[in-house]
Amino acid sequence: MSKGISRRDFLKGTAAGAMAVAASSLFGGFTGLAAESSDGAAIYTPGTYTASAKGLQSDVTVTMTFDETSITEVIVDASGETPEIGGVAADELARKILDAQGSEIDAVTGATITSKAAQEAAANCIAQAKGTAAPASEDGKEAASSEDWLGEEPEIDDADVYAEVSADVVVVGLGLAGVAAARRAGELGASVIGIEKSAAPNCRSGEYAVINSPKLNERWPERAFTREEVDEIVDSHMDESSYRVKRSIMKKWADNIGEAFDWWMEGDPNLFIADETRQAIEDENAEDFLVPIFRPLPTWTDESGNVHEYNWKEERFPCYPTSVEFLPSQAACFNSNWQVAVDTGNVESYFGHFAKKLIMENGVCVGVYAYNDNPESDQKGKYLKVTAAKGVILTTGEYGSNDMMMNHFAPDVMKTHANNRLFTSFDVNGLPTNQGDGIRMGVWAGAKVQGYHAPMIHHMGGGADLSGVGVMGNAGFLNLDMDGKRFMNEDLPGQQLENQVEQTRLMTSWQFFDANWPSQLGHFPAAHGGACYFEDYKSIDEAPKNNQTYRNWKSPYQLEAAIADGRCLTADTLEELVALVYPDDPKAQATALVQIQRYNEFAEAGYDEDFNKPASRLFPLNTAPYYADAFTTAIMLVCIGGLESDENCHTYTEIVDENGRYIPGEIIKGLYVAGNIQGGRFGMEYPIGLKGVSHSMAMYYGKVAAENAINGI
């Protein structure tokens, strides 16, 4: 679904951070032959079109002018982005779009999020010019309200179907869950058809939570969990999800993910497995290696010389030592698993195809219609009808880039994060793939959507660099709001920390620490985004080969870089520092100094009277130099809330009982879900005690869905 289009903020050519590019002036009369049809026929409706997309800090607006066959002018307004990064990228982005005569451009180095936003907005403009995107209302908003998120199920005429194909299993969406499903079904001998609206299967990042992998436990024996410990992990997940999830789904994953992950690793024979997080990696393994996260665990030494190691059993918010990460990303392993699926000879894929409607017969799902929008196909604009003998598996992901669905299911998130969302997988038209297509199709087929959806918004610390890693991460140093007041127990994981920051005035706070930070890091929990290891490196060149940075390890050179970039403030006295943090606000400065003194007294006494922070993580600010970095709101990555499901990947109908309640009904035969469209996994918010659990469950339940579809379970 395209975003709404606004002309209200039509650009002025002299606007800061905006750049207009005219074909005739900058490219010697370049006419965009790459965009012309082969016979010179018109492909655009001439005119000027505008669209916006979410950047890092604001909307990025693109305005494009078209004649009948080409793009003649591009204006990119990124004036609301970080001036030194996104703002200066506007002119280069405009030139790239014009030069490419399309939205498929490489990102500007250092401005990836702004580049993706410009790409999305440009694709929207092109769709308007082609007549495939709906115009906006006069106020710049989409004409439909949040209550119209579902829309009408399309009526598809047989005359618009260019081909009919069939297989045992149809997999709709070739992300992580879809590739796992396709591989498993194919290697079990079933015929598989994969439908994907991107040009190829896609994935991102690379963290997985893994419990009791036979292969990995041989290498890392301390990670073997007892049955009782596994149950404790499952119960913690239930607690963090406010019991709005199904324990049966979590328990089945926890009991079986170890062997399933070994199966996934076997799909990548070139994968190198490191023994420590920060192990040096040889060049031949640099593009495809796996590290254990938090190995060895962080330690600290008390005044008596006793060494203490992070112990998750002592934490109020435990982060379990279960997780691993594919580096530089999971792409190598993911693509290798896709190749295993293809090599079975049983998997056929249709890329650039958008699933639009499930085919139901007598309450059973027997197939899907997919719209062909592949620009390289001579059947573009027509439908593919796919039937499945054993089942349809929806692995279409969530809906975080669909404004109407976000407004309907997560309105509070939209009030704070409408322009602060990020997704990195794009369809063949350059738009984010996470549009909730599968949820809408499922509801049209009678399925129920789970309640209490879970936005993934975990704070990674203040003063982030270009990779999104904060100066000291979300380590629990003193944190003061914009009035100089302390407002929380700082010993919180990133998701809970984000929730606290969002309740402050201006949704901004400041993290304070002093020169003793190197000796203090080991006291902090081994948690997602937290600084808890110190490395005394003077430059990145001293770091482990091909594994030079990791978010939980901090070195002096990194702090120095943050200061040089203005991402961290420093001063020799606390008075000077608070003056930098709260310029022109003497009241906030005075309050901050009082709060720091009070915090120092708590640290000395070993008891936090205000917020009950553990004494072992109360560190006074008493040694110059002093530092501060700003916490703003984090980026929403996904909003997880799918179709009502169970541990066998079934979907359920929605029925209205005699009391008018909308409740789950019967299993919908032939329809399975896996990945972020599978409801019952996460509720209320994304728990991060198991780093990478979303990826892990997507892969595992993609495998389960395929097995169950084939076996008729």
Side-chain angles (χ1 to χ4, degrees), residues 326-665:
F326 292 99
L327 292 173
S329 75
Q330 66 174 315
C333 185
F334 173 85
N335 291 331
S336 183
N337 271 276
W338 172 244
Q339 191 60 50
V340 172
V342 172
D343 289 345
T344 66
N346 295 323
V347 178
E348 182 180 8
S349 52
Y350 290 83
F351 296 107
H353 282 64
F354 293 63
K356 294 294 186 181
K357 180 179 181 177
L358 296 174
I359 302 172
M360 304 295 294
E361 292 182 359
N362 300 318
V364 179
C365 185
V366 297
V368 63
Y369 285 102
Y371 180 77
N372 182 1
D373 211 18
N374 187 339
E376 298 180 358
S377 172
D378 57 4
Q379 298 295 333
K380 185 178 184 297
K382 296 185 178 181
Y383 287 90
L384 177 71
K385 182 178 181 180
V386 190
T387 55
K390 295 182 179 293
V392 173
I393 304 174
L394 291 179
T395 51
T396 52
E398 46 78 52
Y399 57 87
S401 291
N402 184 319
D403 286 0
M404 288 190 291
M405 293 186 73
M406 284 294 300
N407 279 319
H408 180 82
F409 291 109
D412 288 341
V413 174
M414 286 295 280
K415 291 177 182 178
T416 55
H417 289 82
N419 296 318
N420 203 22
R421 292 171 284 160
L422 172 68
F423 201 70
T424 57
S425 296
F426 294 83
D427 63 31
V428 291
N429 295 316
L431 298 177
T433 57
N434 60 334
Q435 301 290 342
D437 311 316
I439 294 176
R440 293 198 303 277
M441 288 190 296
V443 173
W444 288 329
K448 186 183 188 302
V449 181
Q450 76 166 80
Y452 305 96
H453 296 193
M456 185 187 293
I457 316 173
H458 39 257
H459 212 292
M460 300 293 282
D465 59 17
L466 294 179
S467 67
V469 177
V471 175
M472 286 293 156
N474 54 37
F477 292 111
L478 174 65
N479 210 293
L480 305 180
D481 68 15
M482 290 302 290
D483 297 314
K485 293 177 60 178
R486 187 174 177 222
F487 60 95
M488 67 173 174
N489 176 343
E490 298 90 352
D491 187 35
L492 293 174
Q495 185 84 40
Q496 287 83 352
L497 188 153
E498 169 69 19
N499 297 344
Q500 292 290 285
V501 172
E502 287 183 13
Q503 297 178 65
T504 66
R505 188 173 70 83
L506 302 180
M507 294 195 296
T508 301
S509 65
W510 287 83
Q511 179 188 63
F512 289 81
F513 54 100
D514 72 4
N516 293 314
W517 66 270
S519 63
Q520 295 166 355
L521 292 188
H523 291 251
F524 291 121
H528 190 49
C532 51
Y533 298 88
F534 174 69
E535 293 175 323
D536 194 11
Y537 297 152
K538 295 181 175 60
S539 76
I540 196 171
D541 295 332
E542 297 181 18
K545 182 180 181 182
N546 293 318
N547 191 13
Q548 295 176 300
T549 60
Y550 200 83
R551 63 188 69 87
N552 306 98
W553 274 256
K554 301 298 176 182
S555 283
Y557 81 89
Q558 293 169 307
L559 179 58
E560 292 168 4
I563 294 169
D565 293 342
R567 295 181 287 113
C568 183
L569 304 178
T570 186
D572 290 329
T573 68
L574 288 170
E575 289 77 9
E576 292 172 326
L577 183 61
V578 299
L580 293 173
V581 170
Y582 307 105
D584 305 318
D585 192 345
K587 183 178 179 180
Q589 294 173 25
T591 300
L593 290 173
V594 170
Q595 292 283 284
I596 292 171
Q597 178 59 35
R598 182 173 176 82
Y599 185 77
N600 286 351
E601 292 171 358
F602 292 159
E604 180 67 25
Y607 177 65
D608 180 2
E609 295 182 14
D610 292 341
F611 294 98
N612 194 32
K613 184 176 179 177
S616 62
R617 292 166 186 163
L618 284 170
F619 300 118
L621 281 83
N622 56 19
T623 306
Y626 301 97
Y627 306 92
D629 57 274
F631 279 37
T632 56
T633 55
I635 293 172
M636 191 199 84
L637 300 178
V638 293
C639 192
I640 306 175
L643 301 179
E644 197 76 46
S645 184
D646 62 17
E647 71 277 11
N648 288 314
C649 302
H650 296 139
T651 54
Y652 290 80
T653 60
E654 180 177 79
I655 61 176
V656 182
D657 70 4
E658 64 275 8
N659 296 313
R661 298 177 303 168
Y662 292 82
I663 62 175

Side-chain angles (χ1 to χ4, degrees), residues 158-357:
D158 286 343
D160 294 326
V161 174
Y162 77 86
E164 296 186 23
V165 294
S166 62
D168 292 325
V169 174
V170 177
V171 179
V172 185
L174 293 175
L176 179 55
V179 167
R183 176 190 160 188
R184 186 56 175 158
E187 66 188 8
L188 289 177
S191 58
V192 182
I193 289 178
I195 303 296
E196 171 56 50
K197 59 185 177 179
S198 298
N202 50 68
C203 64
R204 63 177 185 171
S205 60
E207 293 182 352
Y208 284 68
V210 182
I211 299 174
N212 289 339
S213 152
K215 183 174 182 178
L216 296 181
N217 280 5
E218 286 184 8
R219 302 178 67 108
W220 316 325
E222 78 282 0
R223 291 198 170 189
F225 288 88
T226 66
R227 181 180 63 184
E228 291 76 16
E229 288 173 334
V230 172
D231 278 336
E232 184 175 342
I233 290 171
V234 172
D235 289 339
S236 176
H237 181 93
M238 298 297 293
D239 286 340
E240 281 205 70
S241 300
S242 300
Y243 276 77
R244 293 291 183 182
V245 295
K246 294 182 178 178
R247 195 180 193 278
S248 58
I249 293 178
M250 188 65 186
K251 175 64 171 173
K252 183 171 183 174
W253 165 83
D255 287 343
N256 296 283
I257 183 55
E259 291 185 357
F261 192 74
D262 284 1
W263 168 80
W264 188 248
M265 288 191 294
E266 288 167 3
D268 182 11
N270 296 319
L271 178 67
F272 175 78
I273 301 174
D275 284 322
E276 296 186 356
T277 313
R278 299 288 281 136
Q279 180 174 326
I281 307 297
E282 295 303 319
D283 290 344
E284 61 265 28
N285 301 313
E287 297 303 316
D288 185 13
F289 64 99
L290 182 81
V291 300
I293 299 175
F294 302 131
R295 190 172 197 262
L297 289 167
T299 60
W300 59 278
T301 304
D302 63 24
E303 294 179 353
S304 301
N306 299 313
V307 178
H308 300 262
E309 184 178 70
Y310 171 78
N311 184 351
W312 55 269
K313 293 186 177 183
E314 298 175 352
E315 297 291 326
R316 289 181 292 182
F317 295 95
C319 187
Y320 303 98
T322 60
S323 303
V324 300
E325 184 166 4
F326 292 99
L327 292 173
S329 75
Q330 66 174 315
C333 185
F334 173 85
N335 291 331
S336 183
N337 271 276
W338 172 244
Q339 191 60 50
V340 172
V342 172
D343 289 345
T344 66
N346 295 323
V347 178
E348 182 180 8
S349 52
Y350 290 83
F351 296 107
H353 282 64
F354 293 63
K356 294 294 186 181
K357 180 179 181 177

